[in-house]
Structure formats: structure tokens, C-alpha cells
Amino acid sequence: MKIHYRLMESRDVPGVFKVDQACFSHNWTEDSYQAETQNILSNYIVAEADGEIVGFGGFWQVIDEAHITNIAVVEAYRQNGVGQNIINAMLALALEKGCVAMTLEVRGDNQPAINFYLKNLFTREGRRKDYYGTGMDAIIMWRYGLE
Ligand SMILES: CC(C)(COP(=O)(O)OP(=O)(O)OC[C@H]1O[C@@H](n2cnc3c(N)ncnc32)[C@H](O)[C@@H]1OP(=O)(O)O)[C@@H](O)C(=O)NCCC(=O)NCCS
């Protein structure tokens, strides 16, 4: 099936929120995604298959750094290159906007995501203790140079 990658629009928010709910246990709300469509720092890419949002990824541009907020692909579409295409589009967009680095926090036990970022030239640069709750640390990863 052909998958289209494009910038998120306001009409995508329900679909993006559905993907969020299926993939995360955090507390982003549908309103928070709606607010992202109005946030001048926000940049979101969606993956759309047959009119359905099957994945998305976003970052906030902070001066010349891109801070990833969320990236997710619904389970049925994983390990098929969709996440890779989303991050490729995010990296290209961040570069186009003048960013020189990209960063994120990931749960220390989220090995698929850590592998995903390592493959994309991110390196482990720090740790935030109990960031996701007691005993659940965040690993801080950075990629310097987006070309
Ligand atoms: C992380 C995530 C977005 C990857 O999406 P995906 O579409 O499955 O990724 P891709 O198929 O494009 O994989 C790209 C690379 O990531 C790595 N990877 C992806 N899934 C992996 C897994 N389950 N185990 C190990 N490595 C994995 C591999 O290096 C892969 O490259 P390869 O196919 O050449 O081996 C997806 O697993 C997901 O949505 N997870 C739940 C949400 C989440 O944890 N997001 C990250 C929060 S920080």
C-alpha cells in the first residue's frame, strides 16, 4: 500500500491522537495535538495510508535545535520503514529550517526506539532519573549534524 508523508494539518489531529493512544501511556490530549497545529515552534510529519494516519513524528524548533516531542507508528505498520521515512522527513525539515542538531528523551527500557535512534546516528548523551516515574529513567540522545 502506498503511504504518503506530509506535514500535519488540523484535520489530522483525531487520527494522530488515535495513533498516540495506541502507542503511548503518557498524557498528551487531543487538545494538545490541536494546540501543536497553532504552535509556531512545532513541526509534525504524518504518514497516511488509504486516508488513515498510521504514524507521525514531531519536533519543536528551539533556535537551531530540533527537540523531538513524539514519534510513533501503529503496530500493524511497524518494521516496514515507516518510522524511518518519518524521521527522514523530520531531519530534512529541521535542516531546511536551519537546525544543526536534534535531540529527544526515550525510556531506558524502550530498546526498539533506542535502536531506531542509534541507527539514525543519535548517541546517548545523558540520563534523566525517574523522568517517566520511579525507576523509569529517560535516556537523552542527540544527533549533531543533520545532513
Ligand atoms: C520506534 C518506532 C517509531 C519505529 O518505527 P518503525 O516503523 O517500526 O521503524 P522502521 O521499520 O522504519 O525501522 C527503522 C530501524 O529502526 C530499528 N528498529 C525498529 N523497530 C525495531 C525493533 N522492534 N527492534 C529493534 N530495532 C528496531 C531498526 O534499526 C530499523 O532498521 P532495519 O529495519 O534496517 O533493521 C516504533 O517502534 C514505535 O512506534 N514504537 C512505539 C512508540 C515509541 O516508543 N516511540 C518512540 C518514543 S521516544
Side-chain angles (χ1 to χ4, degrees):
M1 176 177 296
K2 182 101 181 83
I3 299 182
H4 295 282
Y5 300 89
R6 57 171 176 77
L7 290 173
M8 177 172 80
E9 297 170 21
S10 192
R11 67 183 165 94
D12 300 318
V13 167
V16 165
F17 183 59
K18 213 164 139 188
V19 175
D20 173 297
Q21 292 292 285
C23 297
F24 296 117
S25 53
H26 62 202
N27 56 358
W28 279 58
T29 60
E30 190 163 339
D31 281 351
S32 58
Y33 284 106
Q34 197 63 56
E36 288 293 75
T37 66
Q38 307 295 320
N39 180 351
I40 55 164
L41 300 180
S42 292
N43 300 273
Y44 279 78
I45 300 291
V46 294
E48 185 181 37
D50 211 9
E52 282 236 353
I53 304 298
V54 297
F56 73 95
F59 66 88
W60 291 329
Q61 181 172 4
V62 182
I63 319 289
D64 60 356
E65 296 172 350
H67 291 238
I68 294 182
T69 56
N70 290 316
I71 175 162
V73 174
V74 289
E75 205 151 354
Y77 284 82
R78 284 185 199 159
Q79 293 190 274
N80 256 310
V82 177
Q84 188 60 52
N85 288 335
I86 292 171
I87 199 151
N88 287 349
M90 290 165 66
L91 287 162
L93 187 58
L95 185 65
E96 187 187 307
K97 291 187 162 247
C99 292
V100 297
M102 194 174 263
T103 185
L104 60 100
E105 286 104 9
V106 57
R107 255 176 75 149
D109 61 0
N110 190 351
Q111 204 53 53
I114 292 171
N115 285 355
F116 173 76
Y117 293 123
L118 287 172
K119 185 182 183 197
N120 282 286
L121 310 179
F122 288 79
T123 50
R124 292 184 186 86
E125 299 289 339
R127 179 179 284 268
R128 290 190 216 282
K129 197 166 160 38
D130 297 337
Y131 186 80
Y132 296 104
T134 308
M136 289 183 285
D137 296 354
I139 309 292
I140 304 165
M141 300 182 83
W142 279 88
R143 172 168 161 169
Y144 303 106
L146 303 185
E147 285 172 74

